[in-house]
Amino acid sequence: MSSIANKVVVITGASSGIGESTARLLAGNGARVVLGARRKDRIDALVKDITAQGGSALGFTTDVTKREDVEALVTGAFDKHGRIDVIVNNSGIMPIAPMAALKVKEWDRMIDVNIKGLLYGVAAVFPIMQKQKQGHIINIASVAGFKIFAPGGTVYSATKFAVRALTEGLRMENKADNIRCTMISPGAVATELPESSSEEATRKDLREFYKMAIPADSVARAIAYTIEQPAEVEIDEIVIRPTAQDF
Ligand code: NDP
């Protein structure tokens, strides 16, 4: 993975799951990772771990629903390293409930984190990547961005359909600036995500469904594969799910 070495990679939602695994894998291959999430204790522990193993990592408290936090994360990475090669817009939540339950606050939250948070990531890196005439925006979507995950995941699916539209539109708009755009769409991955539902009965069902889940490292490897391609090679989409998963 020689082309990963020294790349400056910003990752949102790096405090657990896919973000954390990706940070470890990329840093282990020589990338300089810059990590953000709200749980700063987890970010600090991860930075310490990566650094102790000889890697380069920097951590920030980042709530992606706050544009200024995302700007501070990207500015922090730029100030330290003088460039941004990759952003992995990974932060996401999946509170599952039927529409009729009217969990409007959870709808708002999903839109704020899964869509607006991702857009803030794009807005923060964009001027830098345009100036560099090089960059790579990786957005984490879901298989629920291809098929509507209903009942229960309708709003979640809507946010991931939005990620799909945004990633493809970005790609089409920014060819001239040499900015690569990639969408990674995982199926069931063993992380804390199913625990973001507010009702215990739903969490219990999801735990059952997630018995087939694949490790977060499998998604991290897919992400790494897209990064290590030569600059003129853009991998647009990867769908990765457990072999046993139909949906
Ligand atoms: P985790 O719950 O383990 O990780 C989610 C990450 O998002 C955490 O690091 C969390 O950090 C962060 N996050 C949540 N809210 C915010 C916020 N407001 N600001 C900043 N960060 C936030 O789940 P996964 O690793 O599975 O999720 C990563 C991505 O993968 C998500 O976009 C998810 O939708 C997607 N995905 C996951 C699948 C799965 O089966 N696991 C399947 C398909 C897609 P903190 O709480 O510290 O802020």
Side-chain angles (χ1 to χ4, degrees):
M1 289 190 183
S2 58
S3 59
I4 288 175
N6 291 321
K7 282 205 168 136
V8 180
V9 183
V10 176
I11 305 175
T12 66
S15 56
S16 61
I18 293 168
E20 178 185 344
S21 264
T22 303
R24 288 186 189 281
L25 180 68
L26 296 179
N29 284 280
R32 293 172 281 173
V33 296
V34 181
L35 311 173
R38 291 166 309 169
R39 289 171 294 176
K40 185 65 168 31
D41 52 333
R42 296 261 202 126
I43 293 287
D44 286 345
L46 180 57
V47 166
K48 208 171 152 197
D49 222 24
I50 290 173
T51 311
Q53 287 167 37
S56 164
L58 199 61
F60 290 84
T61 308
T62 309
D63 181 339
V64 296
T65 68
K66 297 179 179 155
R67 187 174 173 198
E68 62 274 19
D69 277 16
V70 184
E71 289 286 337
L73 170 70
V74 169
T75 305
F78 188 79
D79 287 349
K80 169 86 179 167
H81 298 297
R83 57 182 296 108
I84 309 284
D85 294 298
V86 184
I87 186 166
V88 185
N89 287 307
N90 166 72
S91 289
I93 53 168
M94 186 183 72
I96 297 297
M99 296 292 285
L102 293 184
K103 300 218 167 190
V104 179
K105 281 193 178 145
E106 292 184 358
W107 302 349
D108 284 344
R109 193 94 194 126
M110 271 187 278
I111 290 164
D112 287 347
V113 176
N114 300 3
I115 304 178
K116 290 172 70 180
L118 179 143
L119 281 170
Y120 294 156
V122 171
V125 298
F126 212 65
I128 297 170
M129 290 183 176
Q130 271 182 316
K131 257 194 211 146
Q132 291 173 174
K133 289 263 177 232
Q134 197 176 8
H136 190 175
I137 297 172
I138 301 177
N139 293 333
I140 308 302
S142 168
V143 291
F146 289 90
K147 193 171 168 192
I148 294 156
F149 178 21
T154 301
V155 178
Y156 179 73
S157 263
T159 66
K160 296 302 187 176
F161 270 68
V163 172
R164 233 174 111 197
L166 290 168
T167 311
E168 178 61 2
L170 260 175
R171 184 191 73 75
M172 293 166 75
E173 284 191 33
N174 296 296
K175 291 177 304 198
D177 285 322
N178 204 26
I179 299 173
R180 301 193 290 184
C181 298
T182 299
M183 182 179 71
I184 308 283
S185 301
V189 180
T191 69
E192 298 170 16
L193 193 74
E195 299 301 324
S196 58
S197 290
S198 56
E199 280 170 16
E200 175 51 25
T202 308
R203 290 197 297 270
K204 211 172 142 206
D205 288 348
L206 284 170
R207 275 180 216 129
E208 197 52 41
F209 180 75
Y210 268 71
K211 281 187 176 158
M212 71 171 95
I214 52 177
D217 182 58
S218 48
V219 182
R221 278 185 275 121
I223 293 169
Y225 180 66
T226 70
I227 296 173
E228 70 180 341
Q229 300 305 311
E232 69 275 18
V233 177
E234 177 189 69
I235 296 181
D236 296 328
E237 292 182 14
I238 293 183
V239 180
I240 172 167
R241 73 181 114 210
T243 309
Q245 183 177 352
D246 55 357
F247 166 64

